[in-house]
Amino acid sequence: MTTVNKPEEGGSGYIFAELLAAVPDGEKLRTCIQCGSCSATCQSAGKMPVTPRKQWRYLQLGMEPDILEAQNFWQCATCALCEKRCPRGIPLSKLMTKLREYYTDRRGAPPAMAQLQSTLEKSRNITGDAAANRLLWTDNLGLDDQQKSALLKEQAEVIYFTGCVSSLFPQVYKIPQSLTAILQKAGVDFTVLGGEEWCCGYPLYGGGQGEEALAEYARYNLELFKSKGAKTVLVSCPTCLYVFKKIYPKLTGEDLGIKVQHYSEYLTDLLKTGQFSFDTTETVVTYHDPCDLGRKSHITEEPREILKNLPGVKLVEMRFTREESKCCGGGGNLEMLNAELSGEIAQNRVAEANDTGAQYLLTTCQQCKRTLQGGARRARARLKVYDLLEFIAERIKPAGGEA
């Protein structure tokens, strides 16, 4: 690897040199041949002040003021599709996130990101809700107070880490409700964390605060996991999965010592145990791979395996799938920074789903469900947008076998 002689701060090429030093494989940015693959791939490119291709050229030429004025990085969904398609293997998405950090250090965070940081510091969630509100989604489970309390065990084999969006946004309450119902039906020894749960911390990282801003969240959440004696942590949020498996180990300097799984990994085997019988009504579905689950965590086949084993369900694929899947528009805090752009990206993805002729557009991420559902509503698409958990739960026959 080439040794970088870092220019003095404020001098020509300073940002470029700092990026190379701070991002793994950042040196590959020197090999950019201006092919334009990033610009052709990026769904935000048309709304950026300069194209991604031009931004990377500006960096190579030491044009830092132009980079900071353009602020392309705040219009990026950090979906990493450009990174996937770059012929040089340049970590473009990671560099975009690092540019956010650089900008925030020098000029301060945009108002939406500053407000988010303040909210997280005060409430440890992204909405500012009281901690007790993390259990509001249990209200429609038909449980009495004693049964609700039973969801909060002091010790359990499995922890279901619900996450901020699934806990606090009524639009997606059916996600934790469905997983809870499935786990209970299978007799899994599990607990939810309720008001003890903190955000995983990713919004700080995506908002330009850097990975170190997550250290406090990592320490707290990992200690909480250990105190429950659990062997497995289940998540329904792909971003939480990414943070737990990719960022927390870097912050702690060691393996987590506990298995972390997305529910699609866990349910692939659980649903084959013979404990469930399913409605066999013929249904056509298409599946959207969340960026943090498919492209960043390489989990693409497990959701498809589940669908393949549901009787009566036919999966038809969109043009762009698996690690080539297009973004829903909900990543990288983009919805908070540019709701209009986030919505446009969602509508584009919905149009691809609509072209398949499917009745259902399924995904495995609460944020994808929110943005795609909004896109379908604005486009008046005749698609039901569901998380895979909801779809599974609706097709499970109740005890006695009635459909």
Side-chain angles (χ1 to χ4, degrees):
M1 182 178 288
T2 306
T3 301
V4 178
N5 293 317
K6 189 172 178 181
E8 292 186 10
E9 184 164 1
S12 177
Y14 179 77
I15 297 180
F16 183 50
E18 186 164 271
L19 284 173
L20 299 188
V23 176
D25 290 329
E27 276 287 337
K28 290 183 178 179
L29 187 56
R30 292 186 181 277
T31 71
C32 175
I33 56 174
Q34 291 289 289
C35 69
S37 293
C38 53
S39 294
T41 294
C42 181
Q43 295 180 84
S44 299
K47 300 293 183 179
M48 289 178 171
V50 299
T51 64
R53 180 194 64 79
K54 187 176 287 187
Q55 173 185 264
W56 303 124
R57 186 57 177 157
Y58 280 0
L59 278 170
Q60 287 179 322
L61 296 173
M63 297 168 64
E64 281 88 345
D66 300 83
I67 297 295
L68 296 181
E69 288 304 316
Q71 298 183 40
N72 269 16
F73 35 85
W74 295 123
Q75 309 306 317
C76 173
T78 65
C79 75
L81 185 55
C82 60
E83 192 168 305
K84 172 73 178 175
R85 292 182 176 175
C86 176
R88 296 292 194 181
I90 303 169
L92 300 172
S93 181
K94 298 178 185 69
L95 291 169
M96 278 289 205
T97 303
K98 199 66 183 177
L99 278 171
R100 289 183 175 190
E101 185 180 343
Y102 184 95
Y103 182 94
T104 300
D105 284 346
R106 274 74 180 175
R107 299 194 178 186
M113 294 298 94
Q115 179 60 52
L116 178 63
Q117 182 181 4
S118 175
T119 299
L120 279 164
E121 287 176 354
K122 292 174 183 175
S123 63
R124 305 302 182 178
N125 64 62
I126 63 173
T127 63
D129 276 61
N133 287 359
R134 281 188 177 273
L135 280 176
L136 287 177
W137 59 270
T138 65
D139 286 351
N140 295 328
L141 287 174
L143 306 177
D144 58 33
D145 290 341
Q146 185 175 355
Q147 290 171 321
K148 278 188 182 180
S149 297
L151 289 175
L152 298 166
K153 298 178 181 177
E154 287 300 320
Q155 298 282 293
E157 288 284 311
V158 175
I159 291 171
Y160 171 32
F161 187 91
T162 314
C164 293
V165 176
S166 290
S167 295
L168 300 168
F169 285 70
Q171 183 183 355
V172 291
Y173 277 177
K174 280 192 175 180
I175 293 173
Q177 289 168 354
S178 297
L179 183 55
T180 296
I182 292 169
L183 294 177
Q184 287 179 325
K185 187 174 180 66
V188 175
D189 177 28
F190 78 102
T191 185
V192 297
L193 300 172
E196 291 184 277
E197 186 177 292
W198 280 15
C199 177
C200 69
Y202 177 83
L204 293 174
Y205 173 61
Q209 298 299 318
E211 289 183 351
E212 286 301 320
L214 279 65
E216 183 181 8
Y217 293 82
R219 286 192 297 270
Y220 175 85
N221 283 320
L222 291 175
E223 283 302 316
L224 183 58
F225 297 163
K226 291 174 184 177
S227 74
K228 301 295 181 182
K231 297 178 181 177
T232 302
V233 173
L234 281 186
V235 297
S236 49
C237 173
T239 304
C240 292
L241 180 78
Y242 178 82
V243 168
F244 292 158
K245 297 190 78 170
K246 304 290 186 180
I247 297 181
Y248 278 15
K250 287 194 286 184
L251 294 172
T252 62
E254 59 185 9
D255 183 80
L256 299 185
I258 190 168
K259 181 186 284 187
V260 181
Q261 287 188 303
H262 185 262
Y263 74 76
S264 62
E265 299 174 278
Y266 189 82
L267 294 185
T268 300
D269 292 328
L270 186 66
L271 294 176
K272 296 177 184 176
T273 59
Q275 300 176 81
F276 302 91
S277 58
F278 298 95
D279 179 9
T280 59
T281 303
E282 292 189 0
T283 308
V284 181
V285 306
T286 192
Y287 174 69
H288 165 79
D289 292 91
C291 301
D292 282 354
L293 190 67
R295 194 155 35 252
K296 296 183 184 180
S297 297
H298 313 297
I299 297 172
T300 60
E301 300 314 307
E302 288 85 345
R304 290 174 171 83
E305 180 72 11
I306 290 172
L307 288 169
K308 184 179 76 173
N309 286 287
L310 290 177
V313 176
K314 178 184 178 182
L315 172 64
V316 290
E317 298 280 15
M318 287 182 270
R319 180 183 176 189
F320 298 99
T321 65
R322 296 175 170 83
E323 295 194 25
E324 287 284 333
S325 176
K326 289 195 176 177
C327 184
C328 74
N333 296 344
L334 183 60
E335 187 181 14
M336 286 179 265
L337 292 159
N338 190 334
E340 181 181 354
L341 175 56
S342 174
E344 286 181 16
I345 294 172
Q347 280 187 257
N348 291 338
R349 188 59 169 163
V350 165
E352 293 179 36
N354 211 33
D355 286 344
T356 68
Q359 298 162 274
Y360 288 84
L361 168 54
L362 304 179
T363 188
T364 42
C365 169
Q366 73 296 324
Q367 184 66 354
C368 290
K369 183 199 169 180
R370 290 183 66 250
T371 51
L372 292 172
Q373 201 167 58
R377 185 173 59 250
R378 285 187 293 272
R380 297 182 179 170
R382 297 182 67 84
L383 275 170
K384 295 179 181 179
V385 181
Y386 273 39
D387 188 273
L388 179 57
L389 278 170
E390 302 169 81
F391 185 74
I392 295 168
E394 283 197 2
R395 291 185 74 86
I396 292 176
K397 289 183 179 180
E402 298 86 358

